[in-house]
Amino acid sequence: MLLIHGGEAVADAPELRTGGVPLVPEGFVWPMCRECGGAMLFFAHLPLAFGVVSVFLCQNNPGMCDDWDATSGANRAFLFDGPLGAATVPAEGETLLGAVTALRPHPADVPTTEPVLGALGGGPGWIQGDETPDCPSCATRMTFTADLEEGADFATSANFGGGGRGYVFHCLPCRVAAFLWQR
Ligand SMILES: [Zn+2]
Ligand SMILES: [Zn+2]
């Protein structure tokens, strides 16, 4: 299933989107970059059948932190269970994208004129080689969740090195998720 540009969404929309405010469980602590110490940027909210995947990466010093690496500590992905509410956004740092964009599921075999912003399920569309991460908890190979492009509009996109692609994985038994990007 492709994820195509679904227009603007409200900041706390409980739908598939990039940007806006993350919906998080009680007691959530906003992730900080292990490399620069800054607050991460919230990138994507992905409500799926098995939970909500929430993706963050460091964009405080583009090109300086290893936010492309699933294990560097410069990005974070979570697998949440409900109930969820809008997070309190830290006052400092590059924390939010400039636009909230709905991601609309669209059958891959049906043509569309909307920008394709990602894909759900299937397999990862690797730009480089296979970098499927191992689960940090049980060490088994993680399950592919979604591909996510940087965004449709350069001014409000995430930065995956310019034309890169993000990859989201999860481990259902451990309730964890991971993120990396390639270009
Ligand atoms: Zn950083
Ligand atoms: Zn696991």
Side-chain angles (χ1 to χ4, degrees), residues 88-145:
T88 303
V89 180
E92 302 274 316
E94 287 292 319
T95 53
L96 301 177
L97 287 176
V100 191
T101 306
L103 304 173
R104 184 147 45 92
H106 185 89
D109 56 356
V110 177
T112 176
T113 55
E114 293 295 333
V116 174
L117 298 179
L120 267 186
W126 296 117
I127 293 175
Q128 307 291 338
D130 183 344
E131 288 189 288
T132 301
D134 292 333
C135 173
S137 184
C138 71
T140 58
R141 198 173 154 87
M142 294 181 85
T143 304
F144 176 67
T145 316

Short mmCIF file of all heavy atoms in Angstrom, two decimals, residues 88-145:
data_model
loop_
_atom_site.label_atom_id
_atom_site.label_comp_id
_atom_site.label_asym_id
_atom_site.label_seq_id
_atom_site.Cartn_x
_atom_site.Cartn_y
_atom_site.Cartn_z
N THR A 88 3.69 17.32 25.30
CA THR A 88 4.18 18.67 25.55
C THR A 88 5.49 18.82 24.77
O THR A 88 6.42 18.03 24.96
CB THR A 88 4.43 18.89 27.05
OG1 THR A 88 3.21 18.63 27.73
CG2 THR A 88 4.90 20.29 27.33
N VAL A 89 5.54 19.84 23.90
CA VAL A 89 6.70 20.00 23.03
C VAL A 89 7.77 20.82 23.75
O VAL A 89 7.47 21.88 24.31
CB VAL A 89 6.27 20.71 21.72
CG1 VAL A 89 7.46 20.89 20.79
CG2 VAL A 89 5.16 19.93 21.04
N PRO A 90 9.03 20.33 23.75
CA PRO A 90 10.10 21.09 24.40
C PRO A 90 10.26 22.48 23.78
O PRO A 90 10.03 22.66 22.58
CB PRO A 90 11.36 20.26 24.14
CG PRO A 90 10.86 18.89 23.79
CD PRO A 90 9.52 19.09 23.15
N ALA A 91 10.65 23.44 24.61
CA ALA A 91 10.77 24.83 24.15
C ALA A 91 12.00 25.01 23.26
O ALA A 91 12.04 25.89 22.40
CB ALA A 91 10.85 25.76 25.35
N GLU A 92 13.03 24.18 23.46
CA GLU A 92 14.29 24.36 22.75
C GLU A 92 14.48 23.29 21.68
O GLU A 92 14.07 22.14 21.89
CB GLU A 92 15.46 24.24 23.73
CG GLU A 92 15.42 25.22 24.88
CD GLU A 92 16.07 26.55 24.52
OE1 GLU A 92 17.14 26.52 23.90
OE2 GLU A 92 15.47 27.60 24.83
N GLY A 93 15.12 23.67 20.57
CA GLY A 93 15.52 22.67 19.58
C GLY A 93 14.60 22.63 18.37
O GLY A 93 13.53 23.24 18.35
N GLU A 94 15.07 21.90 17.35
CA GLU A 94 14.30 21.69 16.11
C GLU A 94 13.36 20.53 16.38
O GLU A 94 13.71 19.37 16.16
CB GLU A 94 15.24 21.36 14.96
CG GLU A 94 16.04 22.53 14.44
CD GLU A 94 15.17 23.57 13.74
OE1 GLU A 94 14.24 23.16 12.99
OE2 GLU A 94 15.39 24.77 13.95
N THR A 95 12.16 20.81 16.88
CA THR A 95 11.29 19.75 17.37
C THR A 95 10.12 19.43 16.45
O THR A 95 9.59 18.32 16.52
CB THR A 95 10.72 20.12 18.75
OG1 THR A 95 10.12 21.41 18.65
CG2 THR A 95 11.81 20.14 19.81
N LEU A 96 9.71 20.39 15.60
CA LEU A 96 8.51 20.18 14.79
C LEU A 96 8.76 20.51 13.33
O LEU A 96 9.48 21.45 13.01
CB LEU A 96 7.36 21.07 15.30
CG LEU A 96 6.91 20.84 16.76
CD1 LEU A 96 5.82 21.84 17.13
CD2 LEU A 96 6.43 19.42 16.98
N LEU A 97 8.14 19.74 12.42
CA LEU A 97 8.19 20.06 11.00
C LEU A 97 7.35 21.31 10.73
O LEU A 97 6.46 21.65 11.50
CB LEU A 97 7.62 18.90 10.17
CG LEU A 97 8.47 17.63 10.04
CD1 LEU A 97 7.69 16.56 9.27
CD2 LEU A 97 9.78 17.93 9.33
N GLY A 98 7.57 21.95 9.58
CA GLY A 98 6.86 23.16 9.22
C GLY A 98 5.47 22.92 8.67
O GLY A 98 4.75 23.88 8.39
N ALA A 99 5.08 21.69 8.50
CA ALA A 99 3.75 21.39 7.95
C ALA A 99 3.26 20.07 8.53
O ALA A 99 4.06 19.22 8.92
CB ALA A 99 3.80 21.29 6.43
N VAL A 100 1.96 19.93 8.61
CA VAL A 100 1.34 18.67 9.02
C VAL A 100 0.70 18.07 7.78
O VAL A 100 -0.17 18.68 7.16
CB VAL A 100 0.27 18.89 10.11
CG1 VAL A 100 -0.16 17.56 10.70
CG2 VAL A 100 0.77 19.84 11.18
N THR A 101 1.14 16.90 7.39
CA THR A 101 0.73 16.30 6.12
C THR A 101 0.09 14.94 6.33
O THR A 101 0.73 14.04 6.89
CB THR A 101 1.95 16.14 5.20
OG1 THR A 101 2.62 17.40 5.08
CG2 THR A 101 1.55 15.64 3.82
N ALA A 102 -1.16 14.82 5.92
CA ALA A 102 -1.83 13.52 6.01
C ALA A 102 -1.22 12.56 4.99
O ALA A 102 -0.90 12.95 3.86
CB ALA A 102 -3.32 13.69 5.74
N LEU A 103 -1.05 11.31 5.40
CA LEU A 103 -0.56 10.24 4.52
C LEU A 103 -1.74 9.34 4.21
O LEU A 103 -2.27 8.68 5.10
CB LEU A 103 0.55 9.45 5.20
CG LEU A 103 1.76 10.25 5.71
CD1 LEU A 103 2.69 9.36 6.52
CD2 LEU A 103 2.52 10.88 4.55
N ARG A 104 -2.17 9.33 2.97
CA ARG A 104 -3.36 8.57 2.62
C ARG A 104 -2.98 7.24 1.98
O ARG A 104 -2.26 7.21 0.98
CB ARG A 104 -4.23 9.39 1.65
CG ARG A 104 -5.55 8.74 1.30
CD ARG A 104 -6.66 9.76 1.07
NE ARG A 104 -6.24 10.88 0.23
CZ ARG A 104 -6.38 10.93 -1.09
NH1 ARG A 104 -6.89 9.91 -1.75
NH2 ARG A 104 -6.01 12.00 -1.77
N PRO A 105 -3.44 6.10 2.55
CA PRO A 105 -3.15 4.81 1.93
C PRO A 105 -3.77 4.73 0.54
O PRO A 105 -4.89 5.18 0.33
CB PRO A 105 -3.81 3.81 2.88
CG PRO A 105 -3.94 4.52 4.18
CD PRO A 105 -4.17 5.96 3.81
N HIS A 106 -3.02 4.17 -0.39
CA HIS A 106 -3.46 4.13 -1.79
C HIS A 106 -2.91 2.85 -2.41
O HIS A 106 -1.71 2.57 -2.29
CB HIS A 106 -2.92 5.36 -2.52
CG HIS A 106 -3.39 5.48 -3.93
ND1 HIS A 106 -4.55 6.14 -4.27
CD2 HIS A 106 -2.86 5.02 -5.09
CE1 HIS A 106 -4.72 6.06 -5.58
NE2 HIS A 106 -3.71 5.40 -6.10
N PRO A 107 -3.77 2.05 -3.07
CA PRO A 107 -3.27 0.80 -3.66
C PRO A 107 -2.11 1.05 -4.63
O PRO A 107 -2.17 1.97 -5.46
CB PRO A 107 -4.48 0.24 -4.40
CG PRO A 107 -5.67 0.90 -3.77
CD PRO A 107 -5.20 2.26 -3.32
N ALA A 108 -1.07 0.25 -4.50
CA ALA A 108 0.14 0.45 -5.30
C ALA A 108 -0.11 0.27 -6.80
O ALA A 108 0.61 0.83 -7.63
CB ALA A 108 1.24 -0.51 -4.83
N ASP A 109 -1.14 -0.50 -7.16
CA ASP A 109 -1.37 -0.78 -8.58
C ASP A 109 -2.37 0.19 -9.21
O ASP A 109 -2.75 0.03 -10.37
CB ASP A 109 -1.83 -2.23 -8.77
CG ASP A 109 -3.07 -2.57 -7.95
OD1 ASP A 109 -3.53 -1.70 -7.18
OD2 ASP A 109 -3.58 -3.69 -8.08
N VAL A 110 -2.80 1.21 -8.47
CA VAL A 110 -3.72 2.22 -9.02
C VAL A 110 -2.95 3.52 -9.20
O VAL A 110 -2.36 4.03 -8.24
CB VAL A 110 -4.93 2.44 -8.07
CG1 VAL A 110 -5.84 3.53 -8.60
CG2 VAL A 110 -5.69 1.14 -7.85
N PRO A 111 -2.93 4.07 -10.44
CA PRO A 111 -2.17 5.30 -10.67
C PRO A 111 -2.67 6.46 -9.79
O PRO A 111 -3.85 6.52 -9.46
CB PRO A 111 -2.43 5.61 -12.15
CG PRO A 111 -2.90 4.33 -12.74
CD PRO A 111 -3.60 3.58 -11.65
N THR A 112 -1.76 7.35 -9.43
CA THR A 112 -2.14 8.54 -8.67
C THR A 112 -1.33 9.72 -9.17
O THR A 112 -0.20 9.55 -9.64
CB THR A 112 -1.90 8.35 -7.15
OG1 THR A 112 -2.20 9.59 -6.49
CG2 THR A 112 -0.47 7.95 -6.84
N THR A 113 -1.93 10.91 -9.08
CA THR A 113 -1.19 12.12 -9.44
C THR A 113 -0.63 12.81 -8.20
O THR A 113 0.11 13.77 -8.31
CB THR A 113 -2.11 13.11 -10.20
OG1 THR A 113 -3.25 13.36 -9.38
CG2 THR A 113 -2.55 12.53 -11.53
N GLU A 114 -1.01 12.30 -7.02
CA GLU A 114 -0.51 12.89 -5.78
C GLU A 114 0.92 12.41 -5.53
O GLU A 114 1.27 11.29 -5.90
CB GLU A 114 -1.38 12.46 -4.58
CG GLU A 114 -2.79 13.00 -4.60
CD GLU A 114 -2.84 14.51 -4.45
OE1 GLU A 114 -1.91 15.08 -3.86
OE2 GLU A 114 -3.80 15.11 -4.96
N PRO A 115 1.74 13.25 -4.86
CA PRO A 115 3.08 12.81 -4.50
C PRO A 115 3.03 11.57 -3.61
O PRO A 115 2.22 11.50 -2.70
CB PRO A 115 3.66 14.00 -3.73
CG PRO A 115 2.82 15.17 -4.10
CD PRO A 115 1.46 14.63 -4.44
N VAL A 116 3.88 10.60 -3.92
CA VAL A 116 4.00 9.39 -3.08
C VAL A 116 4.97 9.72 -1.95
O VAL A 116 6.12 10.08 -2.19
CB VAL A 116 4.48 8.19 -3.91
CG1 VAL A 116 4.74 6.99 -3.00
CG2 VAL A 116 3.46 7.85 -4.98
N LEU A 117 4.49 9.59 -0.70
CA LEU A 117 5.29 9.97 0.46
C LEU A 117 5.78 8.77 1.26
O LEU A 117 6.44 8.93 2.27
CB LEU A 117 4.48 10.90 1.37
CG LEU A 117 4.06 12.23 0.71
CD1 LEU A 117 3.24 13.07 1.67
CD2 LEU A 117 5.29 13.01 0.25
N GLY A 118 5.44 7.57 0.78
CA GLY A 118 5.91 6.39 1.48
C GLY A 118 5.14 5.17 1.06
O GLY A 118 4.41 5.18 0.07
N ALA A 119 5.32 4.10 1.84
CA ALA A 119 4.61 2.84 1.59
C ALA A 119 4.50 2.10 2.90
O ALA A 119 5.38 2.17 3.76
CB ALA A 119 5.35 2.00 0.56
N LEU A 120 3.40 1.38 3.05
CA LEU A 120 3.15 0.59 4.26
C LEU A 120 3.28 -0.87 3.92
O LEU A 120 2.69 -1.33 2.94
CB LEU A 120 1.72 0.82 4.74
CG LEU A 120 1.39 1.89 5.77
CD1 LEU A 120 -0.08 1.78 6.14
CD2 LEU A 120 2.26 1.78 7.00
N GLY A 121 3.99 -1.62 4.74
CA GLY A 121 4.09 -3.06 4.53
C GLY A 121 4.85 -3.41 3.27
O GLY A 121 5.63 -2.60 2.77
N GLY A 122 4.63 -4.58 2.74
CA GLY A 122 5.44 -5.05 1.62
C GLY A 122 6.86 -5.25 2.11
O GLY A 122 7.08 -5.82 3.17
N GLY A 123 7.80 -4.71 1.38
CA GLY A 123 9.20 -4.80 1.82
C GLY A 123 9.84 -3.44 1.69
O GLY A 123 9.30 -2.56 1.02
N PRO A 124 10.98 -3.23 2.34
CA PRO A 124 11.65 -1.94 2.24
C PRO A 124 12.19 -1.69 0.83
O PRO A 124 12.75 -2.59 0.21
CB PRO A 124 12.78 -2.04 3.27
CG PRO A 124 12.91 -3.47 3.63
CD PRO A 124 11.66 -4.18 3.21
N GLY A 125 11.99 -0.48 0.33
CA GLY A 125 12.57 -0.08 -0.96
C GLY A 125 13.94 0.51 -0.70
O GLY A 125 14.15 1.72 -0.77
N TRP A 126 14.91 -0.39 -0.47
CA TRP A 126 16.26 0.07 -0.13
C TRP A 126 16.87 0.89 -1.25
O TRP A 126 16.83 0.49 -2.41
CB TRP A 126 17.17 -1.12 0.17
CG TRP A 126 16.81 -1.94 1.37
CD1 TRP A 126 16.44 -3.25 1.39
CD2 TRP A 126 16.79 -1.51 2.74
NE1 TRP A 126 16.19 -3.66 2.68
CE2 TRP A 126 16.39 -2.61 3.53
CE3 TRP A 126 17.06 -0.29 3.38
CZ2 TRP A 126 16.27 -2.55 4.92
CZ3 TRP A 126 16.93 -0.23 4.76
CH2 TRP A 126 16.55 -1.34 5.52
N ILE A 127 17.47 2.01 -0.90
CA ILE A 127 18.26 2.79 -1.86
C ILE A 127 19.68 2.22 -1.89
O ILE A 127 20.29 2.06 -2.94
CB ILE A 127 18.28 4.29 -1.46
CG1 ILE A 127 16.87 4.88 -1.60
CG2 ILE A 127 19.28 5.06 -2.33
CD1 ILE A 127 16.74 6.32 -1.13
N GLN A 128 20.19 1.89 -0.71
CA GLN A 128 21.47 1.18 -0.58
C GLN A 128 21.16 -0.28 -0.24
O GLN A 128 20.08 -0.76 -0.52
CB GLN A 128 22.32 1.84 0.51
CG GLN A 128 22.50 3.33 0.34
CD GLN A 128 23.38 3.70 -0.84
OE1 GLN A 128 24.17 2.87 -1.30
NE2 GLN A 128 23.24 4.91 -1.35
N GLY A 129 22.09 -0.94 0.41
CA GLY A 129 21.88 -2.34 0.76
C GLY A 129 20.92 -2.52 1.92
O GLY A 129 20.51 -1.56 2.56
N ASP A 130 20.56 -3.78 2.16
CA ASP A 130 19.65 -4.16 3.24
C ASP A 130 20.28 -3.83 4.60
O ASP A 130 21.36 -4.33 4.93
CB ASP A 130 19.38 -5.67 3.14
CG ASP A 130 18.38 -6.16 4.18
OD1 ASP A 130 18.11 -5.44 5.17
OD2 ASP A 130 17.87 -7.28 4.00
N GLU A 131 19.62 -2.96 5.34
CA GLU A 131 20.09 -2.60 6.68
C GLU A 131 19.03 -2.89 7.74
O GLU A 131 18.90 -2.16 8.72
CB GLU A 131 20.45 -1.12 6.74
CG GLU A 131 21.71 -0.74 6.01
CD GLU A 131 22.10 0.71 6.29
OE1 GLU A 131 21.42 1.62 5.79
OE2 GLU A 131 23.08 0.92 7.02
N THR A 132 18.26 -3.97 7.53
CA THR A 132 17.24 -4.35 8.50
C THR A 132 17.86 -4.50 9.88
O THR A 132 18.79 -5.30 10.05
CB THR A 132 16.57 -5.67 8.08
OG1 THR A 132 15.99 -5.51 6.80
CG2 THR A 132 15.49 -6.08 9.10
N PRO A 133 17.40 -3.71 10.86
CA PRO A 133 18.02 -3.79 12.19
C PRO A 133 17.57 -5.02 12.96
O PRO A 133 16.49 -5.57 12.71
CB PRO A 133 17.55 -2.51 12.89
CG PRO A 133 16.35 -2.05 12.14
CD PRO A 133 16.37 -2.67 10.77
N ASP A 134 18.39 -5.44 13.92
CA ASP A 134 18.00 -6.46 14.89
C ASP A 134 17.32 -5.76 16.05
O ASP A 134 17.69 -4.64 16.42
CB ASP A 134 19.24 -7.22 15.39
CG ASP A 134 19.85 -8.08 14.30
OD1 ASP A 134 19.11 -8.49 13.39
OD2 ASP A 134 21.07 -8.31 14.35
N CYS A 135 16.34 -6.42 16.63
CA CYS A 135 15.62 -5.87 17.77
C CYS A 135 16.60 -5.62 18.92
O CYS A 135 17.35 -6.52 19.28
CB CYS A 135 14.52 -6.81 18.20
SG CYS A 135 13.70 -6.30 19.72
N PRO A 136 16.60 -4.40 19.48
CA PRO A 136 17.51 -4.12 20.59
C PRO A 136 17.18 -4.92 21.85
O PRO A 136 18.01 -5.03 22.75
CB PRO A 136 17.32 -2.62 20.84
CG PRO A 136 15.99 -2.30 20.24
CD PRO A 136 15.78 -3.25 19.12
N SER A 137 15.98 -5.49 21.87
CA SER A 137 15.57 -6.21 23.07
C SER A 137 15.79 -7.73 22.93
O SER A 137 16.38 -8.35 23.81
CB SER A 137 14.10 -5.89 23.34
OG SER A 137 13.66 -6.47 24.51
N CYS A 138 15.32 -8.34 21.82
CA CYS A 138 15.41 -9.80 21.69
C CYS A 138 16.40 -10.24 20.62
O CYS A 138 16.63 -11.43 20.42
CB CYS A 138 14.04 -10.40 21.40
SG CYS A 138 13.43 -10.04 19.74
N ALA A 139 16.99 -9.27 19.90
CA ALA A 139 18.04 -9.51 18.92
C ALA A 139 17.59 -10.25 17.65
O ALA A 139 18.42 -10.59 16.81
CB ALA A 139 19.23 -10.24 19.54
N THR A 140 16.28 -10.48 17.48
CA THR A 140 15.83 -11.06 16.21
C THR A 140 15.66 -9.95 15.17
O THR A 140 15.53 -8.77 15.51
CB THR A 140 14.50 -11.82 16.35
OG1 THR A 140 13.51 -10.93 16.86
CG2 THR A 140 14.62 -13.02 17.28
N ARG A 141 15.69 -10.34 13.90
CA ARG A 141 15.54 -9.41 12.79
C ARG A 141 14.17 -8.73 12.89
O ARG A 141 13.15 -9.40 13.04
CB ARG A 141 15.65 -10.22 11.50
CG ARG A 141 15.95 -9.46 10.26
CD ARG A 141 16.20 -10.48 9.15
NE ARG A 141 15.90 -9.92 7.84
CZ ARG A 141 16.78 -9.25 7.12
NH1 ARG A 141 18.01 -9.07 7.57
NH2 ARG A 141 16.44 -8.76 5.94
N MET A 142 14.15 -7.41 12.80
CA MET A 142 12.89 -6.69 13.00
C MET A 142 12.00 -6.78 11.77
O MET A 142 12.46 -7.06 10.66
CB MET A 142 13.17 -5.23 13.36
CG MET A 142 13.86 -5.09 14.72
SD MET A 142 14.18 -3.39 15.22
CE MET A 142 12.59 -2.97 15.97
N THR A 143 10.70 -6.55 11.98
CA THR A 143 9.69 -6.61 10.92
C THR A 143 9.56 -5.24 10.26
O THR A 143 9.47 -4.22 10.95
CB THR A 143 8.33 -7.02 11.51
OG1 THR A 143 8.49 -8.26 12.20
CG2 THR A 143 7.27 -7.17 10.43
N PHE A 144 9.51 -5.23 8.93
CA PHE A 144 9.38 -3.97 8.20
C PHE A 144 7.99 -3.37 8.43
O PHE A 144 6.98 -4.07 8.37
CB PHE A 144 9.59 -4.21 6.71
CG PHE A 144 9.38 -2.99 5.86
CD1 PHE A 144 10.24 -1.91 5.95
CD2 PHE A 144 8.31 -2.92 4.98
CE1 PHE A 144 10.04 -0.78 5.18
CE2 PHE A 144 8.10 -1.80 4.20
CZ PHE A 144 8.98 -0.73 4.29
N THR A 145 7.95 -2.07 8.71
CA THR A 145 6.69 -1.36 8.95
C THR A 145 6.34 -0.46 7.77
O THR A 145 5.26 -0.56 7.20
CB THR A 145 6.80 -0.47 10.21
OG1 THR A 145 7.45 -1.19 11.25
CG2 THR A 145 5.44 0.01 10.65
#
